[in-house]
Amino acid sequence: MRYSGFKVIKEALTGHRGWTPAWRDPEPQSHYDIVIIGGGGHGLATAHYLSKVYDEKRVAVLEKGWIGGGNVGRNTTIIRSNYLLDGNEPFYEMSLKLWEGLEQDLNYNAMISQRGIMNLIHSDAQRDAFVRRGNAMMLNGADAEYLNEDQIRKEYPFLNFDDARFPIKGGLAQRRGGTVRHDAVAWGFARSADSHGVDIIQNCEVQGFRIEGGVCKGVETSRGFVGAGKVGCAVAGNSGRLMAMAGMRLPIESHVLQAFVSEGLKPVLPGVITFGAGHFYVSQSDKGGLVFGGDLDGYNSYAQRGNLPVVEDVCEGGMAIMPMIGRARMLRMWGGIMDMSMDGSPIIDRTHIDGLYFNGGWCYGGFKATPASGYAFAHLLAKDEPHETATAYRIDRFRTGHMIDEKGMGNQPNLH
Amino acid sequence: MIINHPLLGPRDSAEFIYMGDAGLINRPDPETASGEEWYAYAYLRDNPAGEHRELWWHEGGDRSWLVVTRNTVTHEISKVEIARDVARAQGRSK
C-alpha cells in the first residue's frame, strides 16, 4: 500500500478501516542468502538497500525484541555531516544526501527537518579549528558557514553571549543539518524492506554462530537454527557480547549515554545548538519538548540508565549557555548503550571469519549515519568489497595504525 | 555510584576518573613483547555484560588507583581493592 495525502483523506472519510500492517510477521525460514542480526536503524536500513538497490531477495533481519526498540529510539534525532577527516566526511555527507531523499525513497513521513545545526565558538583557537573543519566539509561537497557573534545574536538572541568563562564569539553552521523523527526511520526502513521481500523476524534472539572450518554457516537463535550464506551484525551497543559468541574481541567498550526531554514548550529554538565546550547540546522537538544531552557517564555499562553526576553536569551546561532553560521542567531522561570504539570512528568490514560481516563502533554518532551505514553495509554484503565512502572503516585499522581519530584522543573510548 | 575506598571509606564515583579494564595493569614487557601483544593490550577489550574488573583513579581525592569489581548491567559494586595490591599479588615488583 502506498501512503499519500489522498489516502489519508480517503481513510479519514471511511473510518480508517482500510489501513493494513506496515510489515509482515513471518516465521523464520531455514536458510537465507543474507541474515542481518539487529532490527535497529542500521540493520533495517541495510535490509532496505540490500533488497531495493542491490536486488538481494532472500534476506532476513533477526531482532531479539521488537524493531526500533534500541538506540534508534533512544537518540536525540540529530542529522549533520560536519566532520573533519577524509575517512569520515564523504561518508557522512552521503548520509545527509540520503536523508534528504529518504522520505520519497521510502514513501514514509520521517519528519525530516533541515532546521540547521550550530556549533558555538568561544575562543580564537576554537574558531581556527571550526573554520578548518568548515573548509574540510566544503572540500567534500558539504555546506558550512562561519557566523560571527552579531549573526548568531540575530538568530539566537536568548543565548548567554557574555558569559565570563565561555563568551560566544561565533559559530559554525550547517544549514542542511537538522532533526528527524527517529522511530519513523526504523518503521519506514522496515516497511520498505518488507515490501521488497525481506523477512523481519522479531522476538528472535541470536544465541550463537555456527562456524565450520572458518566459515560462518548461520546462526543459532531462540527460534531455531537459521542458515545463511552471509551474516551481517549490526547491533551497536551490544557488539562486544554478540561478537564474543564468534570468539572475537573488539576494539570497543560499551558505555551509557544519557538524554533528556523537558516539558512541552511553545517554539523557542529554531535549530540545533551544540555547546561543546560545556558538554551540552539541544534542539526542540515538534511536540515542543527541549531535547538535550551531554557527555557519556564514562564507565563501561550495559544498563541503559546513567547516574546523577552527569545529569547535573548536563543541566549546568544548559544553564550556562541558555539560562532560560532553567524555567523549564525536565520531563523524561533515559540512557542508551554506545559501542565506543578506540578512535571514535565506526567499523564496517568483513571479519576474519568467512561469511561474517561486522557493522558497529558507532560511538554516539550512529543515528545520523543510519542511511549511509545501511547503504555501505549492503554494498559490502552484496559485493564483498567496501563502499567507496567507507573504505577507511576497516576492523584491522588499529593493528595497522590507520586510526580515524577526529578528536585526537587516542585509545581512551570514554573521551571520544 | 558509591565506591567504597579501602582507605577513605565510601566516596562518590564523581570524584574518580574511569581508566578502563583492570587488565591494563598487565602491560606487555617492552623488551620482549610482539606487535600483536601490544595491539591486543592497547586496543582489544573483553567488554563483558556482567561482572567487570576495572581501574578507577581517585583524581578528586587521594589520587590512588583502585581496582573496582562492578556489574556493568546493574552498576552494583561488589569489591574495591588498591590497584598496587592487585599488581603485587600478580607478581609485579611495583
Side-chain angles (χ1 to χ4, degrees):
Chain A
M1 179 198 302
R2 270 193 76 77
Y3 294 156
S4 66
F6 172 74
K7 176 77 179 162
V8 171
I9 293 166
K10 185 183 168 206
E11 287 298 325
L13 295 173
T14 56
H16 291 290
R17 285 187 291 270
W19 299 114
T20 54
W23 53 85
R24 297 165 294 129
D25 185 21
E27 286 297 312
Q29 297 175 26
S30 60
H31 190 275
Y32 292 92
D33 292 342
I34 298 175
V35 164
I36 316 261
I37 304 173
H42 291 223
L44 294 166
T46 304
H48 162 76
Y49 291 112
L50 270 175
S51 56
K52 184 166 181 180
V53 177
Y54 293 97
D55 211 29
E56 295 283 352
K57 291 305 176 203
R58 293 183 51 76
V59 178
V61 176
L62 308 184
E63 164 56 46
K64 71 176 174 184
W66 60 90
I67 61 166
N71 288 337
V72 73
R74 287 176 170 264
N75 56 75
T76 45
T77 80
I78 295 164
I79 59 171
R80 56 185 173 90
S81 69
N82 52 359
Y83 284 71
L84 172 69
L85 298 179
D86 288 343
N88 276 330
E89 181 57 18
F91 175 83
Y92 286 102
E93 177 55 20
M94 177 174 89
S95 202
L96 194 50
K97 286 197 173 77
L98 289 170
W99 282 117
E100 287 172 326
L102 192 72
E103 291 169 323
Q104 287 69 38
D105 186 25
L106 300 180
N107 177 232
Y108 203 88
N109 180 10
M111 295 166 66
I112 291 164
S113 165
Q114 292 183 289
R115 56 185 69 182
I117 182 167
M118 168 94 67
N119 309 123
L120 296 173
I121 293 168
H122 313 280
S123 67
D124 289 343
Q126 217 183 359
R127 179 184 291 113
D128 289 349
F130 271 125
V131 168
R132 180 182 175 216
R133 174 181 299 243
N135 285 332
M137 291 161 62
M138 287 190 282
L139 283 171
N140 285 294
D143 67 305
E145 188 180 342
Y146 169 72
L147 301 181
N148 63 29
E149 182 186 338
D150 288 340
Q151 289 170 300
I152 296 177
R153 275 185 192 272
K154 284 200 186 75
E155 288 186 43
Y156 296 100
F158 48 80
L159 295 178
N160 187 7
F161 283 86
D162 302 315
D163 182 69
R165 179 65 185 84
F166 293 116
I168 296 170
K169 296 297 187 187
L172 179 69
Q174 185 175 34
R175 303 288 184 191
R176 289 162 60 239
T179 60
V180 182
R181 169 131 196 254
H182 53 195
D183 303 308
V185 175
W187 301 332
F189 274 126
R191 175 170 166 270
S192 173
D194 177 86
S195 74
H196 289 93
V198 173
D199 282 358
I200 296 168
I201 301 161
Q202 305 183 75
N203 301 307
C204 181
E205 182 175 5
V206 170
Q207 296 166 334
F209 296 94
R210 185 175 292 181
I211 296 166
E212 293 168 359
V215 181
C216 183
K217 303 283 191 186
V219 291
E220 307 287 351
T221 79
S222 55
R223 294 169 70 172
F225 174 74
V226 179
K230 295 173 181 174
V231 176
C233 305
V235 299
N238 283 295
S239 292
R241 295 165 85 171
L242 181 67
M243 302 317 281
M245 295 178 196
M248 292 176 67
R249 295 175 82 214
L250 299 176
I252 286 172
E253 288 179 0
S254 293
H255 284 257
V256 60
L257 178 68
Q258 300 191 67
F260 311 87
V261 175
S262 77
E263 61 187 327
L265 306 171
K266 288 188 176 180
V268 291
L269 194 55
V272 183
I273 295 173
T274 77
F275 172 37
H279 313 153
F280 177 81
Y281 65 92
V282 62
S283 65
Q284 187 170 22
S285 78
D286 291 340
K287 280 197 291 188
L290 297 173
V291 183
F292 57 99
D295 273 353
L296 295 170
D297 271 43
Y299 44 81
N300 284 40
S301 176
Y302 285 92
Q304 291 191 319
R305 58 182 168 77
N307 274 297
L308 292 173
V310 169
V311 180
E312 185 177 30
D313 183 62
V314 170
C315 292
E316 284 173 353
M319 287 299 293
I321 203 68
M322 193 173 155
M324 74 176 183
I325 204 173
R327 302 289 295 276
R329 281 167 293 196
M330 205 195 299
L331 191 65
R332 293 187 289 129
M333 52 189 274
W334 67 94
I337 304 304
M338 315 288 120
D339 268 12
M340 295 304 299
S341 70
M342 288 286 165
D343 61 358
S345 294
I347 295 164
I348 304 175
D349 201 1
R350 284 179 290 231
T351 68
H352 68 284
I353 299 164
D354 278 350
L356 184 61
Y357 299 75
F358 178 72
N359 175 327
W362 289 99
C363 300
Y364 35 79
F367 179 70
K368 76 178 86 67
T370 303
S373 167
Y375 207 112
F377 200 34
H379 186 96
L380 177 71
L381 283 161
K383 306 225 174 227
D384 252 320
E385 58 187 38
H387 188 268
E388 60 179 353
T389 62
T391 54
Y393 295 152
R394 295 177 58 123
I395 201 166
D396 67 351
R397 67 177 183 267
F398 304 93
R399 178 187 272 122
T400 59
H402 294 84
M403 270 68 86
I404 317 164
D405 194 340
E406 286 274 336
K407 288 168 135 186
M409 290 297 187
N411 58 346
Q412 185 78 31
N414 59 1
L415 297 182
H416 287 295
Chain B
M1 292 185 296
I2 302 292
I3 293 176
N4 206 2
H5 193 299
L7 303 176
L8 303 177
R11 311 297 306 186
D12 189 331
S13 66
E15 294 176 4
F16 294 78
I17 306 285
Y18 178 79
M19 303 301 282
D21 193 304
L24 293 172
I25 289 175
N26 304 313
R27 188 174 62 189
D29 183 345
E31 302 294 328
T32 59
S34 65
E36 240 359 75
E37 283 173 71
W38 280 113
Y39 159 65
Y41 173 78
Y43 295 113
L44 300 183
R45 299 289 181 269
D46 289 337
N47 193 24
E51 196 166 90
H52 188 227
R53 295 185 85 210
E54 54 203 23
L55 293 166
W56 291 74
W57 176 49
H58 201 187
E59 189 196 34
D62 71 347
R63 303 180 84 77
S64 59
W65 288 67
L66 305 181
V67 173
V68 175
T69 305
R70 188 179 59 93
N71 189 312
T72 58
V73 177
T74 64
H75 295 165
E76 184 188 4
I77 293 171
S78 54
K79 194 172 182 184
V80 183
E81 304 156 274
I82 303 274
R84 185 184 53 195
D85 297 342
V86 174
R88 281 183 171 158
Q90 290 172 358
R92 287 267 296 274
S93 59
K94 57 183 179 180

